[in-house]
Amino acid sequence: MLEHFKKLSYAYNSYTGELDNGLVVERRLSQLKGCFANESAYDQALANEDSLLYKVTAIEPAHGEGDLHYGMGILYPGKIGNEYYLTKGHLHRTRQAAEIYIGLSGDGCMLLEDEQTGESRLEYLGKNKIVYVPGYTAHRTINIGTEPLTYFGVYPANAGHDYGAIAQRNFLKILVDENGQPTLKDRR
């Protein structure tokens, strides 16, 4: 009777940040060239090891109007110079598309930047916290803790990802460790 339904439920592991049967994308340090402000610290870290910084597992169950996609991510702890490990960050191809992130473990932040005004702000993302990312907002996840940061994200199926816009102009702010405290600074 239910054989005409395709699989719509998936198991997840909040410790590893993985969903079963999802599309897994891994990002290594070499794939984040230009994301970190301190290029010499980046080059030195890359010369030592091409570390795995994060991975995301995506599930795209349907592609119609009103459908949702979702994914789980794990961002490992670490720093390049005094700048915390981060994701590439992106805008949505469908700019008005919003997204929700739900923190599962670890300590992190979402760097949000309004595409139209350039206004930036940080929102805490950790266990039992939810961050709403409005449309027209570039967003980047940053691990400020000593443990892996795992999170779950939900977005419209038609949102798409635009990494190119961020690669061209980057974010206007960076998050650095200043005397043991996460501090938001202007990118120079």
Side-chain angles (χ1 to χ4, degrees):
M1 178 174 177
L2 294 177
E3 35 306 317
H4 70 279
F5 284 100
K6 61 181 174 175
K7 184 175 179 177
L8 296 176
S9 63
Y10 299 87
Y12 72 92
N13 183 322
S14 61
Y15 180 74
T16 64
E18 294 177 348
L19 290 156
D20 70 348
N21 298 317
L23 171 67
V24 178
V25 175
E26 293 186 344
R27 299 279 189 217
R28 297 197 164 274
L29 183 58
S30 60
Q31 296 169 296
L32 275 77
K33 183 159 183 66
C35 293
F36 294 95
N38 186 335
E39 292 179 19
S40 62
Y42 171 85
D43 291 341
Q44 183 178 2
L46 186 56
N48 291 330
E49 181 180 2
D50 191 12
S51 302
L52 176 64
L53 271 60
Y54 68 97
K55 65 182 169 179
V56 176
T57 306
I59 301 287
E60 299 179 351
H63 296 276
E65 183 72 27
D67 286 326
L68 298 172
H69 290 175
Y70 56 94
M72 287 193 73
I74 184 165
L75 174 58
Y76 297 101
K79 295 178 193 148
I80 299 299
N82 66 345
E83 194 173 353
Y84 298 98
Y85 276 8
L86 47 77
T87 63
K88 279 184 151 186
H90 64 274
L91 286 152
H92 290 142
R93 222 176 23 252
T94 302
R95 292 294 201 259
Q96 67 270 24
E99 188 167 1
I100 292 175
Y101 281 71
I102 302 166
L104 302 173
S105 67
D107 289 300
C109 292
M110 295 287 303
L111 176 58
L112 306 177
E113 184 175 290
D114 184 298
E115 181 181 33
Q116 297 165 333
T117 67
E119 181 182 331
S120 299
R121 72 177 191 274
L122 278 177
E123 295 290 340
Y124 178 74
L125 179 66
K127 187 174 182 176
N128 301 322
K129 293 294 182 180
I130 298 172
V131 175
Y132 176 77
V133 179
Y136 303 95
T137 303
H139 43 291
R140 168 176 275 167
T141 310
I142 304 168
N143 187 336
I144 61 170
T146 57
E147 301 293 325
L149 171 66
T150 60
Y151 51 91
F152 184 80
V154 181
Y155 49 95
N158 70 346
H161 295 87
D162 180 358
Y163 293 99
I166 299 304
Q168 285 180 349
R169 66 168 178 81
N170 218 318
F171 283 76
L172 299 175
K173 304 278 186 182
I174 60 170
L175 190 63
V176 297
D177 179 341
E178 194 168 88
N179 301 318
Q181 294 297 315
T183 304
L184 192 62
K185 295 193 162 212
D186 289 334
R187 178 180 292 275
R188 296 180 212 260

